Amino acid sequence: MNAPDYTPPMLDPLEIEKVRKIAQEATTVRRRPLPQTRIEQRLDAFNKQVMSHAMLGFVTMISMALLAFYTKSQPLQSATLALGIIVQVFGLALLGLVIVGGLLFIWDLKKSPFGPFFTLVKSYADMDIEFAQRLAGCEKSAVQYVLTYYKYERANFEKRGYLIAGPVERIGMFPAMAALIVLVANLAKVSEVATWAVMFGPLIFAFYVMLVATFPMIQKMDRVIGLLEFSIQSRK
């Protein structure tokens, strides 16, 4: 007995574009801010200021490092090193803010175990209801198609960070910093590369800070992947 012929699903470009726009909106939408104490509000505002200064210094340092490399200018190398140290100070300030925020989070957990966790669950679930309903009106094959390439680009986004500074989230920020310090200290003993080792140490550290700053973007991508998968699985 012959098996029935398989007819692959037809992909409608209009449906694909519709799903893509929904995924883009779900990725870029901003969650309503949760109620914060006065200390948390000040900490958040200070964190934004430090982050903006750190990113500006990082971009400037990259430009100066390239110029120093091609011009072989010693004063420019010294200026790049000085700027790198300033960027490191901003990076340490960011780490300090993360630690303080973590301590506040632990204090909230002590007062109400799982309270912050379920508050975030409810906030995101309420925010994504609209997107889930809109996806339900799209063809399943279009959702699967967009999900395939969304996952692909999300994986590439993460790998590009690995190529620059390695998987920091797997190693941990402080172990990565310790390894960087040991590496720069050893290279600084070699006269042929001492100057560049001291200059590129802050540069690599700045990349670590940049990867930490992109972590919330990856979290948003993972949330949208879960949303697209839910839309597909709920139709089975």
Side-chain angles (χ1 to χ4, degrees), residues 72 156 178 186 201 227:
K72 310 298 182 182
N156 285 341
N186 289 330
L227 182 63

Side-chain angles (χ1 to χ4, degrees), residues 4-59:
D5 294 335
Y6 171 72
T7 303
M10 297 297 293
L11 293 175
D12 185 352
L14 295 179
E15 283 292 312
I16 293 174
E17 180 63 15
K18 182 179 177 182
V19 175
R20 188 200 62 78
K21 287 183 178 180
I22 296 174
Q24 181 177 343
E25 290 180 29
T27 306
T28 57
V29 67
R30 292 191 176 185
R31 176 177 53 83
R32 292 181 180 179
L34 299 175
Q36 293 180 318
T37 63
R38 184 173 298 179
I39 295 177
E40 290 174 335
Q41 291 175 353
R42 292 179 179 178
L43 191 66
D44 186 55
F46 186 57
N47 182 61
K48 292 178 179 178
Q49 291 179 357
V50 173
M51 178 62 73
S52 63
H53 285 79
M55 294 304 295
L56 178 61
F58 173 74
V59 173

Side-chain angles (χ1 to χ4, degrees), residues 27-157:
T27 306
T28 57
V29 67
R30 292 191 176 185
R31 176 177 53 83
R32 292 181 180 179
L34 299 175
Q36 293 180 318
T37 63
R38 184 173 298 179
I39 295 177
E40 290 174 335
Q41 291 175 353
R42 292 179 179 178
L43 191 66
D44 186 55
F46 186 57
N47 182 61
K48 292 178 179 178
Q49 291 179 357
V50 173
M51 178 62 73
S52 63
H53 285 79
M55 294 304 295
L56 178 61
F58 173 74
V59 173
T60 306
M61 184 182 62
I62 292 291
S63 302
M64 292 177 63
L66 292 174
L67 287 174
F69 179 78
Y70 285 108
T71 61
K72 310 298 182 182
S73 171
Q74 184 62 40
L76 192 56
Q77 292 179 12
S78 301
T80 304
L81 176 60
L83 184 58
I85 295 174
I86 295 175
V87 172
Q88 286 191 76
V89 172
F90 281 121
L92 292 174
L94 286 173
L95 291 177
L97 291 172
V98 170
I99 293 173
V100 173
L103 293 175
L104 293 175
F105 182 73
I106 293 173
W107 176 252
D108 289 339
L109 287 179
K110 183 179 179 180
K111 293 190 298 182
S112 176
F114 299 105
F117 172 78
F118 284 109
T119 298
L120 289 172
V121 169
K122 182 180 185 303
S123 176
Y124 282 114
D126 292 343
M127 182 180 70
D128 285 343
I129 287 179
E130 176 192 352
F131 299 117
Q133 291 174 340
R134 290 167 61 185
L135 287 172
C138 301
E139 293 181 0
K140 181 180 178 180
S141 59
V143 179
Q144 291 174 320
Y145 189 80
V146 172
L147 174 60
T148 298
Y149 287 93
Y150 195 98
K151 283 184 174 181
Y152 172 77
E153 288 301 330
R154 184 253 184 255
N156 285 341
F157 182 86

